[in-house]
Amino acid sequence: MGSLFRRELRLAVRVGGSGLVGVLFFLAVVTVIPFGVGPDLNLLARIGPAVLWIGALLATLLGLDRLFQADRDDGALDLILMSGRPTELVVLVKCAAHWVATGLPLVIAAPVLAIFLNLEPVAIGAVTITLLVGTPALTLIGAIGASLTVTLRRGGLLLAVLVIPLAIPVLIFGVSAADAAVNDPVPFLTPFSILCALTLISAVVGPFASAAALRFSSD
């Protein structure tokens, strides 16, 4: 599993949609919003957590279509399915490597990009923590869509259609937790706990659903 993680991490960095591309897309989304809403700093601070979360969601979608596609093209996916290893564990390792290569850079870049949105230090810390907890759920949910569209040559659009509705609860509670930390620290724990629960549920359901879809596509 360690060798698989290192292999997937190298592939995620080399193939298009790596962390640098995601951060650049994240930067583009955050910098365009102020031009659209105007120079109202209070408005930017109010919608800042939602903008950062939406940018992180869209940036996460960039490389998801290649999560299993490269392995299917070179035959590695068939070898993985016939190796006798638990497919669910393989999917979990691939998702972990994908998050380290693409999701973690977004979390690191979030405090810097939050300055463009006039966020206070408390809001910056809350958004960063919620992204750190919630972005793994986006990757795990995206793995389900990636496994369902692995047989399609251009399944990127269909992948987005499948993943975005499933990711809306993560988006809602991530933004709610960040907003609660700014307005009143007490309610922060409620949406944040639900966000943690969604990530844990995704870590259980995501690999099993993805593994079942991959086995079905190989038949």
Side-chain angles (χ1 to χ4, degrees):
M1 291 298 104
S3 300
L4 178 63
F5 179 83
R6 290 190 293 270
R7 172 186 176 273
E8 295 299 328
L9 188 60
R10 289 193 299 268
L11 289 177
V13 172
R14 294 174 183 174
V15 179
S18 62
L20 179 60
V21 176
V23 171
L24 291 177
F25 182 82
F26 197 16
L27 174 63
V29 172
V30 173
T31 53
V32 166
I33 293 298
F35 292 102
V37 302
D40 190 345
L41 296 180
N42 293 328
L43 178 60
L44 288 175
R46 188 164 61 252
I47 67 174
V51 172
L52 290 172
W53 260 98
I54 292 173
L57 171 60
L58 297 177
T60 303
L61 293 176
L62 288 178
L64 283 177
D65 59 333
R66 289 176 290 273
L67 186 60
F68 303 110
Q69 189 66 52
D71 289 337
R72 180 175 175 82
D73 291 340
D74 61 13
L77 182 60
D78 294 331
L79 295 177
I80 292 174
L81 294 175
M82 294 185 298
S83 64
R85 297 190 182 95
T87 309
E88 295 80 6
L89 183 59
V90 173
V91 172
L92 184 61
V93 172
K94 289 175 71 67
C95 290
H98 183 273
W99 180 81
V100 171
T102 59
L104 187 58
L106 299 179
V107 177
I108 297 174
V112 179
L113 300 181
I115 300 175
F116 291 93
L117 301 172
N118 193 38
L119 293 185
E120 299 178 356
V122 176
I124 294 175
V127 171
T128 304
I129 293 174
T130 54
L131 285 175
L132 180 63
V133 173
T135 48
L138 299 179
T139 300
L140 291 162
I141 294 173
I144 301 176
S147 59
L148 291 173
T149 59
V150 68
T151 57
L152 303 178
R153 283 295 178 183
R154 296 182 179 179
L157 180 60
L158 180 59
L159 173 63
V161 173
L162 292 173
V163 171
I164 289 179
L166 297 176
I168 287 178
V170 180
L171 180 66
I172 291 175
F173 289 104
V175 176
S176 299
D179 288 337
V182 177
N183 299 324
D184 191 351
V186 176
F188 169 78
L189 292 178
T190 301
F192 184 74
S193 300
I194 297 176
L195 181 64
C196 295
L198 290 174
T199 301
L200 293 176
I201 293 173
S202 301
V204 175
V205 176
F208 281 93
S210 299
L214 291 175
R215 284 192 289 263
F216 178 80
S217 65
S218 65
D219 293 339

